[in-house]
Amino acid sequence: MADRSKAEVVLRLFGVNLEQQGRGFYVPLEMLAIARGIYLAHQEDPEKFAGLLDNGADTAYKRTSHDLARRIATKARIVEGNEELGKAVELDSPETMETLHALFSSLLVEIPGRRSQPSWFGAHIYPFVGELIHYDAVERRVKQIDAKKSAKKRKQATKVAVGINAPSIERYLFRDGGSWAYKVLRADPDPDRKEATRQGLSDLVQDSGTPLGNLAKALSAHDFDYDEAPVEGSDTGIELYEDLSPWPDLLREGTRNIVTRIATVPRAKRTESLMHWVPYCLARHQLHLARTKLGATNRESILLDFGNEATPLRRESQKNLAGFRNDIVNAINVQARVMIGEAEGDDEKKRRYGRFAKEGGTAVASPRAFFSETLAAVGALNATAGRRHFTMKPPMLEALVSATIAQDAEMEFDKFCTLLYEKYGLVMEDKIAAASPLAHEVDPSVLDHNGKAFREKLAAIGLLTQYSDATSMVQGEPR
């Protein structure tokens, strides 16, 4: 039997199982796959299946594997053979497959820090349109006995020889981070905000009717594995801990601001911002809960470095990150000791939880890596390895601004910096640092230079307009 003790400790502490395997972009990929699946199920039977963000104990969604498109993208073996492949793709000319490979390989989600080309089931397609959104999958051995279970299994058994590994829809890299995010949005207590989010999210996950969408839909009709009917998914084991962390509500507010820009921002850009904002919020939620467990009474301050060279500010930002990673480990240690105390006379539980009560234990490496590797993936750290510090690369910065400033609104630069500190604890210039515990750690002149670099970065990506009277205004979308 698998040892579930780590999952139990992490779930109690963070309300969701946070593991390195499900880091970064896998969080929004899972969330959008659930949302797309709910949309498809509701379209199929509105009376039986709940709609997008509708309340309910359980959620039914129809999963798309896109295993054919993903195998074409990675040039993986098509185990069904050319006869079956020919039903989906014109094989008279090799140029067809090469063209499809070039197209879909260009749409694969880049996972920073990955050292080698993944198998097809480790490659996911960027959800630029609704028809491209898909669930997780892996390869499983086809067994003859399975053919007796359903019409789908019988059909699959006719396509491949017994014993062949073939696509199977199931959770492999997804680890419930997306389920947490979807539950946060579904449980929004603000009805107006929730309805606005529903409409904006629906625009992202519904069929686009574009040539790319039509091609994706045509190929998915020939996937090896598919859902005959919507599957029941439950998020009852996920706790939001809204009483302990501001991040669930910040996720809702930011998501509403991002997805409602239908008239002013292209679908692909809204999707990209959502892909960065959602995992960022979950990583910050994890950190906040960890520090709360350790008795911290103030919100964490994060020092963002926008400079191009090593400075005392960068060193402090590096120390900032190292301290937060330690906070996550220490919080897991504390949680494990609490659960050891609750186990009373159960020596087996005490032994299992004891591995997570050690300060230097390797058992805590995966949850800690979820935090830093998620931030690195979305561009909130400078790199995935080596000497790392907090920053904001352009896509993450665009997502942050879009999430913070409402549609058709703008804000004076100094006020915007103040808002970033008040809402998210982000520090990047001298006026804000004065209100932060970091005020005495870095010389004001260094912070002033960093603030100017931040202003220039906003202007470079079209989110800040400088006027002749020296006023600088930040907008929620490029102009």
Side-chain angles (χ1 to χ4, degrees):
M1 182 180 292
D3 184 0
R4 296 280 301 163
S5 49
K6 179 167 69 173
E8 292 169 9
V9 174
V10 172
L11 189 63
R12 276 280 299 274
L13 178 59
F14 302 120
V16 59
N17 193 15
L18 302 178
E19 299 288 348
Q20 180 181 10
Q21 194 171 9
R23 67 195 182 279
F25 293 125
Y26 296 123
V27 175
L29 285 172
E30 182 183 14
M31 186 198 80
L32 288 170
I34 292 171
R36 167 72 175 176
I38 289 169
Y39 162 78
L40 292 176
H42 185 68
Q43 290 288 107
E44 186 176 287
D45 191 340
E47 296 297 323
K48 184 177 180 181
F49 300 115
L52 201 58
L53 301 186
D54 284 351
N55 290 322
D58 294 317
T59 302
Y61 49 93
K62 199 164 187 178
R63 302 169 300 177
T64 301
S65 68
H66 264 317
D67 60 63
L68 180 56
R70 293 156 74 185
R71 286 181 287 166
I72 291 173
T74 55
K75 291 192 172 181
R77 179 188 176 197
I78 308 297
V79 294
E80 301 93 311
N82 285 344
E83 184 178 345
E84 283 294 330
L85 181 59
K87 297 175 183 178
V89 178
E90 178 59 61
L91 298 178
D92 290 347
S93 168
E95 292 182 1
T96 303
M97 284 294 286
E98 284 301 319
T99 301
L100 289 174
H101 164 70
L103 172 62
F104 285 105
S105 63
S106 72
L107 296 175
L108 295 180
V109 177
E110 182 180 349
I111 304 300
R114 184 179 272 164
R115 292 183 175 85
S116 60
Q117 173 70 27
S119 303
W120 71 264
F121 48 84
H124 292 69
I125 298 171
Y126 214 98
F128 286 120
V129 294
E131 295 93 335
L132 287 173
I133 298 173
H134 61 87
Y135 197 73
D136 216 353
V138 72
E139 285 190 341
R140 295 295 179 204
R141 193 171 300 279
V142 176
K143 300 176 182 178
Q144 193 65 44
I145 192 172
D146 290 340
K148 300 177 182 179
K149 295 180 180 179
S150 68
K152 181 183 81 169
K153 293 293 184 182
R154 285 193 296 274
K155 182 179 178 182
Q156 289 176 333
T158 65
K159 293 182 178 182
V160 297
V162 175
I164 290 289
N165 286 335
S168 172
I169 300 179
E170 56 186 86
R171 195 176 71 166
Y172 174 62
L173 288 166
F174 294 171
R175 283 291 181 268
D176 278 345
S179 294
W180 174 86
Y182 185 81
K183 184 172 184 176
V184 168
L185 299 179
R186 183 173 63 80
D188 192 345
D190 183 333
D192 293 335
R193 180 173 63 188
K194 182 177 178 178
E195 181 56 32
T197 302
R198 185 203 316 275
Q199 293 178 14
L201 193 58
S202 177
D203 185 71
L204 296 182
V205 304
Q206 68 186 358
D207 287 354
S208 65
T210 60
L212 176 59
N214 292 336
L215 174 61
K217 199 169 185 177
L219 284 179
S220 70
H222 298 275
D223 285 338
F224 183 84
D225 201 15
Y226 52 90
D227 280 338
E228 295 177 286
V231 298
E232 292 289 338
S234 176
D235 55 21
T236 53
I238 294 175
E239 297 291 340
L240 302 185
Y241 292 145
E242 295 185 76
D243 57 327
L244 301 176
S245 169
W247 282 96
D249 210 57
L250 291 173
L251 171 62
R252 294 173 184 136
E253 187 72 18
T255 298
R256 188 271 308 273
N257 287 342
I258 290 170
V259 301
T260 53
R261 300 179 190 272
I262 296 173
T264 55
V265 178
R267 179 189 284 109
K269 179 59 69 176
R270 280 176 278 137
T271 299
E272 184 180 27
S273 292
L274 199 62
M275 287 280 287
H276 288 76
W277 177 245
V278 173
Y280 180 80
C281 288
L282 181 52
R284 292 294 307 273
H285 179 65
Q286 179 191 20
L287 174 62
H288 191 90
L289 290 175
R291 297 184 74 252
T292 299
K293 191 70 180 180
L294 297 174
T297 56
N298 59 318
R299 185 180 296 190
E300 59 275 5
S301 292
I302 290 181
L303 194 55
L304 299 182
D305 176 17
F306 290 99
N308 296 318
E309 56 189 19
T311 63
L313 183 151
R314 180 164 297 180
R315 288 193 293 272
E316 285 302 318
S317 186
Q318 290 166 347
K319 286 168 57 179
N320 210 198
L321 174 61
F324 291 153
R325 281 167 52 86
N326 288 335
D327 286 343
I328 289 171
V329 170
N330 293 335
I332 293 173
N333 297 156
V334 170
Q335 182 63 56
R337 288 193 283 270
V338 169
M339 294 172 72
I340 289 171
E342 294 172 350
E344 297 180 347
D346 192 331
D347 291 337
E348 175 59 22
K349 275 190 175 182
K350 288 182 178 181
R351 182 193 65 78
R352 290 192 292 110
Y353 295 145
R355 294 189 297 122
F356 306 97
K358 301 174 184 177
E359 293 183 9
T362 57
V364 298
S366 183
R368 177 183 61 195
F370 175 87
F371 171 72
S372 50
E373 292 193 23
T374 290
L375 293 183
V378 301
L381 296 181
N382 65 305
T384 58
R387 297 287 288 174
R388 295 182 292 182
H389 58 267
F390 290 106
T391 188
M392 286 277 174
K393 295 181 180 179
M396 183 64 230
L397 189 54
E398 288 179 359
L400 177 74
V401 176
S402 183
T404 305
I405 299 180
Q407 185 177 11
D408 298 326
E410 60 181 5
M411 188 176 297
E412 199 275 325
F413 176 75
D414 287 340
K415 185 178 179 181
F416 177 66
C417 291
T418 300
L419 185 62
L420 291 184
Y421 177 67
E422 291 175 347
K423 292 186 76 167
Y424 315 128
L426 300 177
V427 178
M428 73 294 295
E429 52 100 47
D430 56 329
K431 299 184 185 67
I432 301 306
S436 164
L438 300 170
H440 306 293
E441 306 297 334
V442 183
D443 187 271
S445 63
V446 175
L447 283 162
D448 180 60
H449 181 75
N450 192 62
K452 291 176 181 176
F454 175 53
R455 186 197 304 260
E456 291 169 2
K457 181 157 287 192
L458 286 172
I461 58 179
L463 296 176
L464 179 141
T465 303
Q466 296 179 331
Y467 295 97
S468 57
D469 62 354
T471 301
S472 298
M473 302 298 293
V474 182
Q475 301 96 22
E477 58 266 341
R479 294 186 182 177

